[in-house]
Amino acid sequence: MPRVFNFSAGPATLPEPVLRQAADEMLDWHGSGMSVMEMSHRGKEFMGIHAEAQALLRKLLAVPANYRILFMQGGAIAENAIVPMNLLRGKSGADYIDTGEWSKKSIQEALRYCKVNVAASAKDSGYTTIPRRDTWTLDANAAYVHICSNETIGGVEYGFTPDVGSVPLVADVSSNLLSRPFDVARYGLLYGGAQKNIGPAGLTIVIVRDDLLGGAASFTPSAFNYKEQAENDSMLNTPPTYAIYVAGLVFRWLEARGGLVAMEKHNRAKAALLYDYLDTTAFYSSPVAKDCRSLMNVPFRLRDTALDDAFLKGAQARGMVQLKGHRSVGGMRASIYNAMPIEGVQTLVAYMKEFEAKNG
Ligand SMILES: *Cc1c(COP(=O)(O)O)cnc(C)c1O
């Protein structure tokens, strides 16, 4: 079976050269006589893999020296609780921007720990926009402002970094971290699960500014305490070693491809192929406002939903899988992360045209 074009939202497609290298090194990593999976996390081999992955990520994203990179576990959903536990620092509330399914989940979880001020919501637009910054009603006393930089389900993405003054900006970047450069210095904290755009499930990446460490609520589990993890170089507990190793291979692959500026160009080209076509036909439509469209997750609908199943079946027959939209929005969704080659998007658009010609 040849490899398919996998449009899954996550866990998602990984670069083929990375998978091949992992396969080559599976039984014997660099003459160690063992798999990375079998190594002690405190042995010098794995410590080297860990340090290199951190250093590559720091370089790729140009993470400033006053930020710590933590490799944690629990995914973004755990971070929805870990963030308020660590960042409230005695304050009673935080600001949240409601842009769709994932920010709603963040809000629900935060409500267990603090007052939530929904400073702006895209609900009235059916979550097809990002509320303009000048409409936000921020609380000057908020412990932080939380955004979801890319709504994986709804397909809306921030095209700007909001200015929130001196209050730390926190972003769930699960589905667009490393898709383009980020100005890390504008954020207090970035977090995301690796399984969308970076590597296997099990690894959570946290990038946090030094001055935000040390104020965790006393009930915070040690493994979820940013300061304790930072002091222990993310090894307070056994880290997800294999996922870190594969993420490190992905970081190296990104570097070899020219880093994040080159990735952004590549991702813009892929997204344009799809959106430009969607805008020329009435057979399909994109529900998202043009200036808020995600480069990573492209939801679209067929005018006649009775054709959905036939569309998916035809795609599968042509080696394109996981195009069914999330159950909450229906229709289709093409996730086109870093590792999706442009040929995958070209094949999809060609198929969409063919399907329209036959059924339109
Ligand atoms: C997938 C996703 C999540 C959930 O991540 P888990 O790893 O399952 O906790 C949260 N936020 C965003 C933006 C996502 O894409």
Side-chain angles (χ1 to χ4, degrees):
M1 174 83 188
R3 277 178 61 77
V4 293
F5 289 122
N6 176 6
F7 293 92
S8 170
T13 189
L14 286 169
E16 194 169 318
V18 164
L19 296 176
R20 287 194 188 285
Q21 185 175 348
D24 285 347
E25 296 176 345
M26 176 59 77
L27 295 184
D28 175 18
W29 183 84
H30 295 203
S32 64
M34 63 178 109
S35 167
V36 174
M37 259 184 261
E38 303 168 301
M39 287 175 182
S40 162
H41 62 297
R42 304 204 186 275
K44 79 171 184 335
E45 286 105 341
F46 183 75
M47 296 280 270
I49 290 170
H50 190 265
E52 191 194 353
Q54 272 218 24
L56 283 167
L57 177 57
R58 186 173 288 277
K59 190 167 161 220
L60 274 172
L61 256 185
V63 177
N66 62 324
Y67 284 73
R68 302 298 301 254
I69 294 174
L70 307 179
F71 290 154
M72 295 179 63
Q73 294 176 77
I77 290 183
E79 290 300 323
N80 284 339
I82 297 168
V83 164
M85 283 183 201
N86 281 271
L87 293 198
L88 282 170
R89 294 161 297 142
K91 298 215 178 204
S92 61
D95 287 331
Y96 279 74
I97 309 304
D98 171 28
T99 48
E101 296 292 326
W102 290 116
S103 34
K104 276 193 274 185
K105 276 223 162 71
S106 298
I107 290 167
Q108 283 309 313
E109 192 73 17
L111 280 167
R112 296 165 180 262
Y113 301 95
C114 64
K115 282 189 281 200
V116 169
N117 171 43
V118 179
S121 173
K123 191 170 178 199
D124 288 347
S125 73
Y127 295 108
T128 59
T129 59
I130 299 285
R132 279 175 37 180
R133 172 64 189 88
D134 58 8
T135 65
W136 299 10
T137 53
L138 296 174
D139 173 359
N141 256 320
Y144 57 86
V145 181
H146 181 282
I147 63 170
C148 176
S149 59
N150 182 65
E151 287 280 359
T152 321
I153 293 172
V156 295
E157 180 171 12
Y158 280 74
F160 61 98
T161 307
D163 183 354
V164 295
S166 59
V167 176
L169 179 63
V170 173
D172 175 356
V173 292
S174 293
S175 51
N176 68 349
L177 186 66
L178 303 188
S179 67
R180 55 178 169 83
F182 266 75
D183 188 355
V184 176
R186 303 274 306 274
Y187 298 83
L189 186 145
L190 300 164
Y191 69 85
Q195 74 273 20
K196 310 287 166 63
N197 199 31
I198 293 177
L203 167 65
T204 312
I205 291 172
V206 174
I207 300 170
V208 56
R209 207 172 61 212
D210 276 341
D211 63 287
L212 298 175
L213 300 174
S218 57
F219 58 79
T220 305
S222 313
F224 292 161
N225 184 311
Y226 294 140
K227 178 158 189 268
E228 289 190 43
Q229 283 290 12
E231 284 172 354
N232 287 280
D233 205 13
S234 304
M235 297 234 199
L236 185 115
N237 54 338
T238 309
T241 52
Y242 198 75
I244 291 169
Y245 155 70
V246 176
L249 298 182
V250 171
F251 299 154
R252 227 185 284 160
W253 175 80
L254 285 169
E255 189 173 55
R257 298 202 51 180
L260 302 192
V261 171
M263 272 334 288
E264 174 169 10
K265 216 173 135 202
H266 178 67
N267 287 330
R268 283 195 186 283
K270 285 187 296 180
L273 274 180
L274 207 38
Y275 287 121
D276 287 351
Y277 173 57
L278 288 170
D279 287 341
T280 60
T281 162
F283 187 79
Y284 304 97
S285 63
S286 158
V288 178
K290 274 194 183 165
D291 58 343
C292 304
R293 287 174 172 177
S294 170
L295 295 185
M296 297 279 96
N297 310 97
V298 183
F300 63 92
R301 295 189 189 125
L302 276 67
R303 183 175 53 201
D304 179 1
T305 55
L307 293 171
D308 282 4
D309 285 344
F311 179 86
L312 289 166
K313 241 175 117 183
Q316 173 103 37
R318 288 160 181 78
M320 292 175 284
V321 302
Q322 298 285 345
L323 282 162
K324 193 178 167 114
H326 190 268
R327 59 187 183 278
S328 66
V329 288
M332 307 297 150
R333 172 177 49 171
S335 294
I336 50 174
Y337 298 118
N338 284 345
M340 173 59 66
I342 196 151
E343 292 76 17
V345 183
Q346 287 163 342
T347 306
L348 174 59
V349 171
Y351 167 60
M352 289 168 72
K353 288 180 180 166
E354 177 198 327
F355 190 84
E356 174 176 358
K358 214 177 281 168
N359 298 283

